Amino acid sequence: MTATETLTPVDLLDEPTLSIAEVVERTGVSHDTLRYYEKEGLLTPPRDRGGRRRYREVDVGRVVFITRMRQSEMPIRVLQRYVALVEEGPSTERERLAIMEAHRDAVVARRDELDEALGIIEFKISVYGGSCGA
């Protein structure tokens, strides 16, 4: 490296990084989804000198976390708030806990509703002579 070259954040890392293609392969999340998460401020992977994203293990962990929260229907705006709180540091743990508890309660309520719906579906299947459960 010459004296005129500047260091980018990825140059300063003491850990291995992954390309976007490697993260896609590892997590099953599409390129477009990763870029969307970045656009929404949920993910900020460092970039190399060529401007390419380089994901650290912590970034991959966040991708998995965001994906699970989205699967559980956590709204993007709530995720944005949560990620912002994480970035602010340990002093925000109480608020993060409150977000997670509220989301857990919403997921449990939705699971109960789905269990009720499943009961009706299984009843109708049995009425038509089918077998319930596999």
Side-chain angles (χ1 to χ4, degrees):
M1 180 179 305
T2 68
T4 59
E5 290 180 283
T6 59
L7 293 176
T8 59
V10 78
D11 296 321
L12 300 174
L13 296 176
D14 289 333
E15 61 185 295
T17 60
L18 302 169
S19 69
I20 194 168
E22 291 168 318
V23 174
V24 166
E25 184 176 326
R26 187 187 279 189
T27 64
V29 174
S30 73
H31 290 81
D32 290 338
T33 299
L34 290 172
R35 289 185 187 105
Y36 173 72
Y37 289 166
E38 190 174 343
K39 179 179 130 300
E40 294 300 320
L42 300 173
L43 196 59
T44 54
R47 295 183 181 247
D48 65 16
R49 290 186 196 151
R52 292 175 296 270
R53 294 162 181 84
R54 298 301 305 178
Y55 293 83
R56 302 158 296 171
E57 283 302 318
V58 68
D59 299 315
V60 175
R62 184 170 285 180
V63 168
V64 171
F65 171 76
I66 293 167
T67 301
R68 297 298 176 263
M69 293 303 98
R70 293 297 295 144
Q71 287 172 339
S72 66
E73 298 185 9
M74 180 180 274
I76 288 292
R77 64 177 172 68
V78 175
L79 267 169
Q80 288 167 324
R81 179 65 184 145
Y82 183 86
V83 167
L85 290 168
V86 168
E87 298 299 324
E88 288 179 34
S91 66
T92 65
E93 286 180 359
R94 278 197 183 292
E95 192 172 347
R96 286 185 267 161
L97 174 61
I99 290 170
M100 286 293 114
E101 288 175 336
H103 188 61
R104 178 203 52 210
D105 294 347
V107 169
V108 168
R110 198 167 67 258
R111 183 179 62 188
D112 291 346
E113 291 169 357
L114 288 172
D115 285 343
E116 288 179 28
L118 181 59
I120 293 169
I121 293 166
E122 288 176 345
F123 170 75
K124 284 297 187 179
I125 288 171
S126 69
V127 166
Y128 299 133
S131 63
C132 294

PDB file of all heavy atoms in Angstrom, residues 76-109:
ATOM      1  N   ILE A  76     -40.743  -3.546   9.544  1.00  0.00           N
ATOM      2  CA  ILE A  76     -39.445  -2.934   9.238  1.00  0.00           C
ATOM      3  C   ILE A  76     -39.182  -1.754  10.169  1.00  0.00           C
ATOM      4  O   ILE A  76     -38.076  -1.600  10.691  1.00  0.00           O
ATOM      5  CB  ILE A  76     -39.372  -2.485   7.762  1.00  0.00           C
ATOM      6  CG1 ILE A  76     -39.264  -3.714   6.845  1.00  0.00           C
ATOM      7  CG2 ILE A  76     -38.208  -1.543   7.517  1.00  0.00           C
ATOM      8  CD1 ILE A  76     -37.964  -4.478   6.939  1.00  0.00           C
ATOM      9  N   ARG A  77     -40.180  -0.927  10.422  1.00  0.00           N
ATOM     10  CA  ARG A  77     -39.951   0.261  11.268  1.00  0.00           C
ATOM     11  C   ARG A  77     -39.538  -0.136  12.676  1.00  0.00           C
ATOM     12  O   ARG A  77     -38.718   0.536  13.308  1.00  0.00           O
ATOM     13  CB  ARG A  77     -41.168   1.177  11.284  1.00  0.00           C
ATOM     14  CG  ARG A  77     -42.392   0.574  11.900  1.00  0.00           C
ATOM     15  CD  ARG A  77     -43.590   1.526  11.970  1.00  0.00           C
ATOM     16  NE  ARG A  77     -44.774   0.837  12.388  1.00  0.00           N
ATOM     17  CZ  ARG A  77     -44.981   0.315  13.596  1.00  0.00           C
ATOM     18  NH1 ARG A  77     -44.063   0.417  14.523  1.00  0.00           N
ATOM     19  NH2 ARG A  77     -46.094  -0.312  13.885  1.00  0.00           N
ATOM     20  N   VAL A  78     -40.066  -1.258  13.188  1.00  0.00           N
ATOM     21  CA  VAL A  78     -39.677  -1.731  14.519  1.00  0.00           C
ATOM     22  C   VAL A  78     -38.251  -2.271  14.471  1.00  0.00           C
ATOM     23  O   VAL A  78     -37.445  -2.003  15.366  1.00  0.00           O
ATOM     24  CB  VAL A  78     -40.667  -2.799  15.043  1.00  0.00           C
ATOM     25  CG1 VAL A  78     -40.196  -3.379  16.365  1.00  0.00           C
ATOM     26  CG2 VAL A  78     -42.065  -2.208  15.180  1.00  0.00           C
ATOM     27  N   LEU A  79     -37.938  -3.003  13.407  1.00  0.00           N
ATOM     28  CA  LEU A  79     -36.565  -3.482  13.237  1.00  0.00           C
ATOM     29  C   LEU A  79     -35.585  -2.317  13.133  1.00  0.00           C
ATOM     30  O   LEU A  79     -34.488  -2.365  13.699  1.00  0.00           O
ATOM     31  CB  LEU A  79     -36.454  -4.355  11.985  1.00  0.00           C
ATOM     32  CG  LEU A  79     -36.623  -5.845  12.194  1.00  0.00           C
ATOM     33  CD1 LEU A  79     -36.770  -6.557  10.864  1.00  0.00           C
ATOM     34  CD2 LEU A  79     -35.492  -6.426  12.995  1.00  0.00           C
ATOM     35  N   GLN A  80     -35.976  -1.283  12.415  1.00  0.00           N
ATOM     36  CA  GLN A  80     -35.112  -0.110  12.292  1.00  0.00           C
ATOM     37  C   GLN A  80     -34.850   0.508  13.664  1.00  0.00           C
ATOM     38  O   GLN A  80     -33.718   0.882  13.979  1.00  0.00           O
ATOM     39  CB  GLN A  80     -35.731   0.923  11.356  1.00  0.00           C
ATOM     40  CG  GLN A  80     -35.705   0.504   9.913  1.00  0.00           C
ATOM     41  CD  GLN A  80     -36.581   1.375   9.035  1.00  0.00           C
ATOM     42  OE1 GLN A  80     -37.648   1.827   9.446  1.00  0.00           O
ATOM     43  NE2 GLN A  80     -36.129   1.595   7.813  1.00  0.00           N
ATOM     44  N   ARG A  81     -35.884   0.617  14.463  1.00  0.00           N
ATOM     45  CA  ARG A  81     -35.726   1.165  15.814  1.00  0.00           C
ATOM     46  C   ARG A  81     -34.819   0.272  16.645  1.00  0.00           C
ATOM     47  O   ARG A  81     -33.926   0.745  17.347  1.00  0.00           O
ATOM     48  CB  ARG A  81     -37.101   1.328  16.487  1.00  0.00           C
ATOM     49  CG  ARG A  81     -37.027   1.854  17.898  1.00  0.00           C
ATOM     50  CD  ARG A  81     -36.490   3.274  17.937  1.00  0.00           C
ATOM     51  NE  ARG A  81     -36.334   3.715  19.311  1.00  0.00           N
ATOM     52  CZ  ARG A  81     -35.368   4.516  19.739  1.00  0.00           C
ATOM     53  NH1 ARG A  81     -34.480   4.998  18.894  1.00  0.00           N
ATOM     54  NH2 ARG A  81     -35.293   4.859  20.996  1.00  0.00           N
ATOM     55  N   TYR A  82     -35.042  -1.023  16.578  1.00  0.00           N
ATOM     56  CA  TYR A  82     -34.243  -1.975  17.330  1.00  0.00           C
ATOM     57  C   TYR A  82     -32.765  -1.875  16.933  1.00  0.00           C
ATOM     58  O   TYR A  82     -31.889  -1.790  17.801  1.00  0.00           O
ATOM     59  CB  TYR A  82     -34.765  -3.397  17.115  1.00  0.00           C
ATOM     60  CG  TYR A  82     -34.014  -4.413  17.926  1.00  0.00           C
ATOM     61  CD1 TYR A  82     -34.386  -4.691  19.233  1.00  0.00           C
ATOM     62  CD2 TYR A  82     -32.924  -5.087  17.396  1.00  0.00           C
ATOM     63  CE1 TYR A  82     -33.679  -5.613  19.994  1.00  0.00           C
ATOM     64  CE2 TYR A  82     -32.213  -6.004  18.145  1.00  0.00           C
ATOM     65  CZ  TYR A  82     -32.595  -6.260  19.443  1.00  0.00           C
ATOM     66  OH  TYR A  82     -31.890  -7.162  20.193  1.00  0.00           O
ATOM     67  N   VAL A  83     -32.486  -1.875  15.645  1.00  0.00           N
ATOM     68  CA  VAL A  83     -31.100  -1.791  15.169  1.00  0.00           C
ATOM     69  C   VAL A  83     -30.468  -0.470  15.595  1.00  0.00           C
ATOM     70  O   VAL A  83     -29.307  -0.438  16.011  1.00  0.00           O
ATOM     71  CB  VAL A  83     -31.035  -1.997  13.633  1.00  0.00           C
ATOM     72  CG1 VAL A  83     -29.673  -1.616  13.075  1.00  0.00           C
ATOM     73  CG2 VAL A  83     -31.367  -3.449  13.290  1.00  0.00           C
ATOM     74  N   ALA A  84     -31.217   0.605  15.515  1.00  0.00           N
ATOM     75  CA  ALA A  84     -30.692   1.901  15.963  1.00  0.00           C
ATOM     76  C   ALA A  84     -30.319   1.845  17.446  1.00  0.00           C
ATOM     77  O   ALA A  84     -29.284   2.378  17.855  1.00  0.00           O
ATOM     78  CB  ALA A  84     -31.709   3.005  15.705  1.00  0.00           C
ATOM     79  N   LEU A  85     -31.152   1.186  18.237  1.00  0.00           N
ATOM     80  CA  LEU A  85     -30.857   1.048  19.660  1.00  0.00           C
ATOM     81  C   LEU A  85     -29.608   0.204  19.892  1.00  0.00           C
ATOM     82  O   LEU A  85     -28.786   0.519  20.755  1.00  0.00           O
ATOM     83  CB  LEU A  85     -32.056   0.438  20.389  1.00  0.00           C
ATOM     84  CG  LEU A  85     -33.283   1.334  20.503  1.00  0.00           C
ATOM     85  CD1 LEU A  85     -34.487   0.526  20.973  1.00  0.00           C
ATOM     86  CD2 LEU A  85     -33.012   2.517  21.417  1.00  0.00           C
ATOM     87  N   VAL A  86     -29.463  -0.866  19.125  1.00  0.00           N
ATOM     88  CA  VAL A  86     -28.264  -1.697  19.235  1.00  0.00           C
ATOM     89  C   VAL A  86     -27.026  -0.852  18.956  1.00  0.00           C
ATOM     90  O   VAL A  86     -26.024  -0.928  19.673  1.00  0.00           O
ATOM     91  CB  VAL A  86     -28.330  -2.907  18.270  1.00  0.00           C
ATOM     92  CG1 VAL A  86     -26.975  -3.609  18.170  1.00  0.00           C
ATOM     93  CG2 VAL A  86     -29.410  -3.882  18.708  1.00  0.00           C
ATOM     94  N   GLU A  87     -27.114  -0.026  17.920  1.00  0.00           N
ATOM     95  CA  GLU A  87     -25.972   0.825  17.552  1.00  0.00           C
ATOM     96  C   GLU A  87     -25.649   1.846  18.642  1.00  0.00           C
ATOM     97  O   GLU A  87     -24.505   2.256  18.781  1.00  0.00           O
ATOM     98  CB  GLU A  87     -26.239   1.531  16.224  1.00  0.00           C
ATOM     99  CG  GLU A  87     -26.422   0.603  15.035  1.00  0.00           C
ATOM    100  CD  GLU A  87     -25.216  -0.270  14.739  1.00  0.00           C
ATOM    101  OE1 GLU A  87     -24.077   0.212  14.907  1.00  0.00           O
ATOM    102  OE2 GLU A  87     -25.410  -1.442  14.360  1.00  0.00           O
ATOM    103  N   GLU A  88     -26.646   2.244  19.431  1.00  0.00           N
ATOM    104  CA  GLU A  88     -26.423   3.207  20.512  1.00  0.00           C
ATOM    105  C   GLU A  88     -25.690   2.584  21.701  1.00  0.00           C
ATOM    106  O   GLU A  88     -25.111   3.296  22.507  1.00  0.00           O
ATOM    107  CB  GLU A  88     -27.751   3.810  20.980  1.00  0.00           C
ATOM    108  CG  GLU A  88     -28.352   4.773  19.987  1.00  0.00           C
ATOM    109  CD  GLU A  88     -29.669   5.328  20.475  1.00  0.00           C
ATOM    110  OE1 GLU A  88     -29.834   5.524  21.706  1.00  0.00           O
ATOM    111  OE2 GLU A  88     -30.555   5.558  19.630  1.00  0.00           O
ATOM    112  N   GLY A  89     -25.742   1.261  21.821  1.00  0.00           N
ATOM    113  CA  GLY A  89     -24.986   0.610  22.873  1.00  0.00           C
ATOM    114  C   GLY A  89     -25.808   0.069  24.020  1.00  0.00           C
ATOM    115  O   GLY A  89     -27.041   0.090  24.000  1.00  0.00           O
ATOM    116  N   PRO A  90     -25.112  -0.399  25.066  1.00  0.00           N
ATOM    117  CA  PRO A  90     -25.746  -1.090  26.189  1.00  0.00           C
ATOM    118  C   PRO A  90     -26.788  -0.272  26.953  1.00  0.00           C
ATOM    119  O   PRO A  90     -27.682  -0.849  27.563  1.00  0.00           O
ATOM    120  CB  PRO A  90     -24.574  -1.439  27.113  1.00  0.00           C
ATOM    121  CG  PRO A  90     -23.363  -1.365  26.266  1.00  0.00           C
ATOM    122  CD  PRO A  90     -23.653  -0.373  25.184  1.00  0.00           C
ATOM    123  N   SER A  91     -26.690   1.026  26.918  1.00  0.00           N
ATOM    124  CA  SER A  91     -27.652   1.844  27.676  1.00  0.00           C
ATOM    125  C   SER A  91     -29.080   1.693  27.156  1.00  0.00           C
ATOM    126  O   SER A  91     -30.032   2.115  27.816  1.00  0.00           O
ATOM    127  CB  SER A  91     -27.239   3.316  27.642  1.00  0.00           C
ATOM    128  OG  SER A  91     -27.337   3.816  26.318  1.00  0.00           O
ATOM    129  N   THR A  92     -29.254   1.084  25.992  1.00  0.00           N
ATOM    130  CA  THR A  92     -30.588   0.941  25.392  1.00  0.00           C
ATOM    131  C   THR A  92     -31.182  -0.451  25.602  1.00  0.00           C
ATOM    132  O   THR A  92     -32.226  -0.766  25.020  1.00  0.00           O
ATOM    133  CB  THR A  92     -30.534   1.238  23.884  1.00  0.00           C
ATOM    134  OG1 THR A  92     -29.712   0.236  23.250  1.00  0.00           O
ATOM    135  CG2 THR A  92     -29.984   2.615  23.597  1.00  0.00           C
ATOM    136  N   GLU A  93     -30.547  -1.271  26.421  1.00  0.00           N
ATOM    137  CA  GLU A  93     -31.000  -2.659  26.569  1.00  0.00           C
ATOM    138  C   GLU A  93     -32.429  -2.767  27.078  1.00  0.00           C
ATOM    139  O   GLU A  93     -33.175  -3.636  26.656  1.00  0.00           O
ATOM    140  CB  GLU A  93     -30.042  -3.447  27.455  1.00  0.00           C
ATOM    141  CG  GLU A  93     -28.756  -3.754  26.733  1.00  0.00           C
ATOM    142  CD  GLU A  93     -27.763  -4.536  27.576  1.00  0.00           C
ATOM    143  OE1 GLU A  93     -28.064  -4.846  28.761  1.00  0.00           O
ATOM    144  OE2 GLU A  93     -26.688  -4.843  27.044  1.00  0.00           O
ATOM    145  N   ARG A  94     -32.845  -1.885  27.978  1.00  0.00           N
ATOM    146  CA  ARG A  94     -34.229  -1.940  28.493  1.00  0.00           C
ATOM    147  C   ARG A  94     -35.238  -1.740  27.362  1.00  0.00           C
ATOM    148  O   ARG A  94     -36.247  -2.436  27.295  1.00  0.00           O
ATOM    149  CB  ARG A  94     -34.450  -0.887  29.572  1.00  0.00           C
ATOM    150  CG  ARG A  94     -33.969  -1.278  30.933  1.00  0.00           C
ATOM    151  CD  ARG A  94     -34.628  -0.358  31.960  1.00  0.00           C
ATOM    152  NE  ARG A  94     -34.222  -0.566  33.321  1.00  0.00           N
ATOM    153  CZ  ARG A  94     -34.494  -1.630  34.061  1.00  0.00           C
ATOM    154  NH1 ARG A  94     -35.151  -2.626  33.540  1.00  0.00           N
ATOM    155  NH2 ARG A  94     -34.092  -1.701  35.308  1.00  0.00           N
ATOM    156  N   GLU A  95     -34.970  -0.770  26.499  1.00  0.00           N
ATOM    157  CA  GLU A  95     -35.894  -0.522  25.397  1.00  0.00           C
ATOM    158  C   GLU A  95     -35.879  -1.676  24.392  1.00  0.00           C
ATOM    159  O   GLU A  95     -36.921  -2.068  23.862  1.00  0.00           O
ATOM    160  CB  GLU A  95     -35.559   0.799  24.698  1.00  0.00           C
ATOM    161  CG  GLU A  95     -36.648   1.234  23.738  1.00  0.00           C
ATOM    162  CD  GLU A  95     -36.434   2.623  23.167  1.00  0.00           C
ATOM    163  OE1 GLU A  95     -35.582   3.390  23.669  1.00  0.00           O
ATOM    164  OE2 GLU A  95     -37.138   2.941  22.189  1.00  0.00           O
ATOM    165  N   ARG A  96     -34.710  -2.242  24.152  1.00  0.00           N
ATOM    166  CA  ARG A  96     -34.623  -3.400  23.255  1.00  0.00           C
ATOM    167  C   ARG A  96     -35.393  -4.575  23.832  1.00  0.00           C
ATOM    168  O   ARG A  96     -36.102  -5.287  23.108  1.00  0.00           O
ATOM    169  CB  ARG A  96     -33.164  -3.791  23.013  1.00  0.00           C
ATOM    170  CG  ARG A  96     -32.468  -2.819  22.094  1.00  0.00           C
ATOM    171  CD  ARG A  96     -31.080  -3.295  21.768  1.00  0.00           C
ATOM    172  NE  ARG A  96     -30.129  -2.713  22.710  1.00  0.00           N
ATOM    173  CZ  ARG A  96     -28.911  -3.187  22.944  1.00  0.00           C
ATOM    174  NH1 ARG A  96     -28.499  -4.268  22.324  1.00  0.00           N
ATOM    175  NH2 ARG A  96     -28.111  -2.587  23.784  1.00  0.00           N
ATOM    176  N   LEU A  97     -35.267  -4.776  25.142  1.00  0.00           N
ATOM    177  CA  LEU A  97     -36.005  -5.841  25.808  1.00  0.00           C
ATOM    178  C   LEU A  97     -37.508  -5.621  25.643  1.00  0.00           C
ATOM    179  O   LEU A  97     -38.252  -6.561  25.326  1.00  0.00           O
ATOM    180  CB  LEU A  97     -35.641  -5.896  27.292  1.00  0.00           C
ATOM    181  CG  LEU A  97     -36.450  -6.864  28.158  1.00  0.00           C
ATOM    182  CD1 LEU A  97     -36.269  -8.304  27.683  1.00  0.00           C
ATOM    183  CD2 LEU A  97     -36.059  -6.709  29.617  1.00  0.00           C
ATOM    184  N   ALA A  98     -37.953  -4.404  25.812  1.00  0.00           N
ATOM    185  CA  ALA A  98     -39.382  -4.092  25.663  1.00  0.00           C
ATOM    186  C   ALA A  98     -39.860  -4.399  24.243  1.00  0.00           C
ATOM    187  O   ALA A  98     -40.960  -4.939  24.054  1.00  0.00           O
ATOM    188  CB  ALA A  98     -39.646  -2.630  26.017  1.00  0.00           C
ATOM    189  N   ILE A  99     -39.042  -4.089  23.258  1.00  0.00           N
ATOM    190  CA  ILE A  99     -39.395  -4.395  21.859  1.00  0.00           C
ATOM    191  C   ILE A  99     -39.535  -5.897  21.671  1.00  0.00           C
ATOM    192  O   ILE A  99     -40.507  -6.378  21.081  1.00  0.00           O
ATOM    193  CB  ILE A  99     -38.353  -3.802  20.890  1.00  0.00           C
ATOM    194  CG1 ILE A  99     -38.464  -2.275  20.864  1.00  0.00           C
ATOM    195  CG2 ILE A  99     -38.508  -4.387  19.489  1.00  0.00           C
ATOM    196  CD1 ILE A  99     -37.327  -1.574  20.137  1.00  0.00           C
ATOM    197  N   MET A 100     -38.562  -6.653  22.193  1.00  0.00           N
ATOM    198  CA  MET A 100     -38.594  -8.113  22.033  1.00  0.00           C
ATOM    199  C   MET A 100     -39.778  -8.726  22.782  1.00  0.00           C
ATOM    200  O   MET A 100     -40.443  -9.632  22.267  1.00  0.00           O
ATOM    201  CB  MET A 100     -37.285  -8.736  22.523  1.00  0.00           C
ATOM    202  CG  MET A 100     -36.111  -8.519  21.594  1.00  0.00           C
ATOM    203  SD  MET A 100     -36.314  -9.396  20.018  1.00  0.00           S
ATOM    204  CE  MET A 100     -36.460  -8.007  18.915  1.00  0.00           C
ATOM    205  N   GLU A 101     -40.078  -8.227  23.974  1.00  0.00           N
ATOM    206  CA  GLU A 101     -41.220  -8.766  24.728  1.00  0.00           C
ATOM    207  C   GLU A 101     -42.538  -8.480  24.023  1.00  0.00           C
ATOM    208  O   GLU A 101     -43.402  -9.363  23.937  1.00  0.00           O
ATOM    209  CB  GLU A 101     -41.232  -8.187  26.148  1.00  0.00           C
ATOM    210  CG  GLU A 101     -40.122  -8.749  27.011  1.00  0.00           C
ATOM    211  CD  GLU A 101     -40.021  -8.107  28.381  1.00  0.00           C
ATOM    212  OE1 GLU A 101     -40.473  -6.945  28.556  1.00  0.00           O
ATOM    213  OE2 GLU A 101     -39.473  -8.767  29.287  1.00  0.00           O
ATOM    214  N   ALA A 102     -42.682  -7.284  23.496  1.00  0.00           N
ATOM    215  CA  ALA A 102     -43.913  -6.943  22.769  1.00  0.00           C
ATOM    216  C   ALA A 102     -44.052  -7.801  21.515  1.00  0.00           C
ATOM    217  O   ALA A 102     -45.152  -8.285  21.197  1.00  0.00           O
ATOM    218  CB  ALA A 102     -43.918  -5.453  22.404  1.00  0.00           C
ATOM    219  N   HIS A 103     -42.949  -8.023  20.831  1.00  0.00           N
ATOM    220  CA  HIS A 103     -43.006  -8.843  19.616  1.00  0.00           C
ATOM    221  C   HIS A 103     -43.310 -10.300  19.965  1.00  0.00           C
ATOM    222  O   HIS A 103     -44.108 -10.953  19.291  1.00  0.00           O
ATOM    223  CB  HIS A 103     -41.712  -8.724  18.811  1.00  0.00           C
ATOM    224  CG  HIS A 103     -41.809  -9.396  17.484  1.00  0.00           C
ATOM    225  ND1 HIS A 103     -42.716  -9.027  16.519  1.00  0.00           N
ATOM    226  CD2 HIS A 103     -41.138 -10.452  16.980  1.00  0.00           C
ATOM    227  CE1 HIS A 103     -42.588  -9.823  15.474  1.00  0.00           C
ATOM    228  NE2 HIS A 103     -41.642 -10.699  15.732  1.00  0.00           N
ATOM    229  N   ARG A 104     -42.685 -10.795  21.037  1.00  0.00           N
ATOM    230  CA  ARG A 104     -42.981 -12.157  21.482  1.00  0.00           C
ATOM    231  C   ARG A 104     -44.470 -12.306  21.750  1.00  0.00           C
ATOM    232  O   ARG A 104     -45.099 -13.281  21.318  1.00  0.00           O
ATOM    233  CB  ARG A 104     -42.198 -12.494  22.744  1.00  0.00           C
ATOM    234  CG  ARG A 104     -42.535 -13.915  23.272  1.00  0.00           C
ATOM    235  CD  ARG A 104     -42.254 -14.101  24.736  1.00  0.00           C
ATOM    236  NE  ARG A 104     -42.894 -13.057  25.521  1.00  0.00           N
ATOM    237  CZ  ARG A 104     -42.408 -12.597  26.672  1.00  0.00           C
ATOM    238  NH1 ARG A 104     -41.285 -13.079  27.163  1.00  0.00           N
ATOM    239  NH2 ARG A 104     -43.049 -11.658  27.340  1.00  0.00           N
ATOM    240  N   ASP A 105     -45.063 -11.351  22.449  1.00  0.00           N
ATOM    241  CA  ASP A 105     -46.485 -11.421  22.768  1.00  0.00           C
ATOM    242  C   ASP A 105     -47.335 -11.442  21.497  1.00  0.00           C
ATOM    243  O   ASP A 105     -48.320 -12.182  21.413  1.00  0.00           O
ATOM    244  CB  ASP A 105     -46.883 -10.249  23.661  1.00  0.00           C
ATOM    245  CG  ASP A 105     -46.225 -10.322  25.035  1.00  0.00           C
ATOM    246  OD1 ASP A 105     -45.654 -11.382  25.399  1.00  0.00           O
ATOM    247  OD2 ASP A 105     -46.271  -9.297  25.757  1.00  0.00           O
ATOM    248  N   ALA A 106     -46.950 -10.655  20.508  1.00  0.00           N
ATOM    249  CA  ALA A 106     -47.678 -10.632  19.232  1.00  0.00           C
ATOM    250  C   ALA A 106     -47.549 -11.975  18.507  1.00  0.00           C
ATOM    251  O   ALA A 106     -48.522 -12.479  17.932  1.00  0.00           O
ATOM    252  CB  ALA A 106     -47.173  -9.496  18.348  1.00  0.00           C
ATOM    253  N   VAL A 107     -46.361 -12.561  18.539  1.00  0.00           N
ATOM    254  CA  VAL A 107     -46.145 -13.858  17.880  1.00  0.00           C
ATOM    255  C   VAL A 107     -46.954 -14.949  18.576  1.00  0.00           C
ATOM    256  O   VAL A 107     -47.587 -15.781  17.917  1.00  0.00           O
ATOM    257  CB  VAL A 107     -44.633 -14.211  17.842  1.00  0.00           C
ATOM    258  CG1 VAL A 107     -44.408 -15.656  17.424  1.00  0.00           C
ATOM    259  CG2 VAL A 107     -43.895 -13.259  16.909  1.00  0.00           C
ATOM    260  N   VAL A 108     -46.963 -14.946  19.891  1.00  0.00           N
ATOM    261  CA  VAL A 108     -47.733 -15.945  20.646  1.00  0.00           C
ATOM    262  C   VAL A 108     -49.224 -15.807  20.332  1.00  0.00           C
ATOM    263  O   VAL A 108     -49.913 -16.810  20.107  1.00  0.00           O
ATOM    264  CB  VAL A 108     -47.451 -15.830  22.161  1.00  0.00           C
ATOM    265  CG1 VAL A 108     -48.457 -16.652  22.972  1.00  0.00           C
ATOM    266  CG2 VAL A 108     -46.030 -16.282  22.466  1.00  0.00           C
ATOM    267  N   ALA A 109     -49.713 -14.589  20.282  1.00  0.00           N
ATOM    268  CA  ALA A 109     -51.130 -14.379  19.968  1.00  0.00           C
ATOM    269  C   ALA A 109     -51.454 -14.879  18.562  1.00  0.00           C
ATOM    270  O   ALA A 109     -52.489 -15.523  18.347  1.00  0.00           O
ATOM    271  CB  ALA A 109     -51.487 -12.895  20.096  1.00  0.00           C
TER     272      ALA A 109
END
